[in-house]
Amino acid sequence: DVKVTQSSRYLVKRTGEKVFLECVQDMDHENMFWYRQDPGLGLRLIYFSYDVKMKEKGDIPEGYSVSREKKERFSLILESASTNQTSMYLCASSSQSDGSNQPQHFGDGTRLSIL
Amino acid sequence: DQQVKQNSPSLSVQEGRISILNCDYTNSMFDYFLWYKKYPAEGPTFLISISSIKDKNEDGRFTVFLNKSAKHLSLHIVPSQPGDSAVYFCAGKDNFGNEKLTFGTGTRLTIIP
């Protein structure tokens, strides 16, 4: 079974802090993703990565950055946390499709509160 | 621009009956669609998918139907069970060679015992 592990289930930070959310997958997947989930808005893609040191902006990248120094680890960084970044953050990974579509596998999420 | 729409935020169904969850999309470049199920305090789990070259895919109690001309897909669960109570998200993937998924806003399904 694919295991996607997010380092924290709950996190409380203050406005202006730099926040790191960590995600590790154990299936040697090439692709990794960061989403946020908000009521009534579904899952929205923040950033994704196809390979080590590669990153692509998703639909809502403003206020975030990412780091992928190792294949199994994908970090989401809130440069200066603001209250509108209070949300559920979900990490996912998938293998490269190469003609057969592969689903994304998700971690259990980090509920982040910015005070 | 909401490319994937789930117009019913919630749905209640009697146990044993059929649950039908609907999803509409606007992006004609989507060629693969997925349904995910999410329990509270857990991440979404993959349920079933369908390629745009098919109009139906079945897996046990779950069947997904795709109507490309109407840009509509639906998930049928029969018979519905209490453990099916969850939020269901549909998602589309385009054929540009990337792995991005675009998700809908979700439908909360409640199965009434």
Side-chain angles (χ1 to χ4, degrees), chain B residues 5-6 10 18 20 22 24 32 38-39 45 49-50 57 66-68 77 79 81 87 89 91 111:
Chain B
K5 300 177 185 179
Q6 294 176 256
S10 62
I18 184 171
I20 300 176
N22 293 303
D24 296 296
Y32 182 59
K38 186 180 185 301
Y39 293 120
T45 54
S49 62
I50 188 167
N57 188 28
L66 175 62
N67 182 334
K68 281 185 66 177
I77 306 172
Q81 298 174 353
V87 177
F89 293 97
I111 305 302

Side-chain angles (χ1 to χ4, degrees), chain A residues 80-97:
Chain A
S80 177
S82 64
T83 54
N84 63 11
Q85 293 178 309
T86 291
S87 187
M88 168 69 85
Y89 289 87
L90 292 159
C91 176
S93 72
S94 70
S95 60
Q96 200 62 28
S97 286

Side-chain angles (χ1 to χ4, degrees), chain B residues 5-90:
Chain B
K5 300 177 185 179
Q6 294 176 256
N7 291 318
S8 298
S10 62
L11 177 68
S12 294
V13 174
Q14 207 77 31
E15 181 179 358
R17 299 288 188 106
I18 184 171
S19 296
I20 300 176
L21 295 94
N22 293 303
C23 181
D24 296 296
Y25 63 97
T26 57
N27 189 340
S28 56
M29 305 308 288
F30 286 151
D31 66 350
Y32 182 59
F33 301 89
L34 306 90
W35 283 93
Y36 281 83
K37 173 180 177 179
K38 186 180 185 301
Y39 293 120
E42 293 183 13
T45 54
F46 170 69
L47 198 54
I48 192 169
S49 62
I50 188 167
S51 166
S52 60
I53 62 173
K54 296 187 175 183
D55 55 16
K56 177 183 174 182
N57 188 28
E58 193 172 351
D59 184 1
R61 296 186 298 114
F62 303 93
T63 303
V64 56
F65 295 92
L66 175 62
N67 182 334
K68 281 185 66 177
S69 60
K71 291 191 173 70
H72 177 84
L73 63 154
S74 60
L75 174 68
H76 292 213
I77 306 172
V78 56
S80 301
Q81 298 174 353
D84 296 330
S85 295
V87 177
Y88 290 79
F89 293 97
C90 67

Side-chain angles (χ1 to χ4, degrees), chain A residues 43-91:
Chain A
L43 277 70
R44 294 181 293 165
L45 182 64
I46 305 170
Y47 266 97
F48 60 107
S49 168
Y50 292 131
D51 202 349
V52 176
K53 298 193 186 295
M54 308 260 316
K55 60 185 179 183
E56 297 276 348
K57 291 180 180 179
D59 300 317
I60 50 165
E62 297 79 18
Y64 303 94
S65 63
V66 289
S67 172
R68 191 156 181 212
E69 296 296 319
K70 294 184 178 181
K71 191 175 185 180
E72 68 270 18
R73 185 179 297 271
F74 193 34
S75 303
L76 179 70
I77 304 154
L78 285 66
E79 297 290 343
S80 177
S82 64
T83 54
N84 63 11
Q85 293 178 309
T86 291
S87 187
M88 168 69 85
Y89 289 87
L90 292 159
C91 176

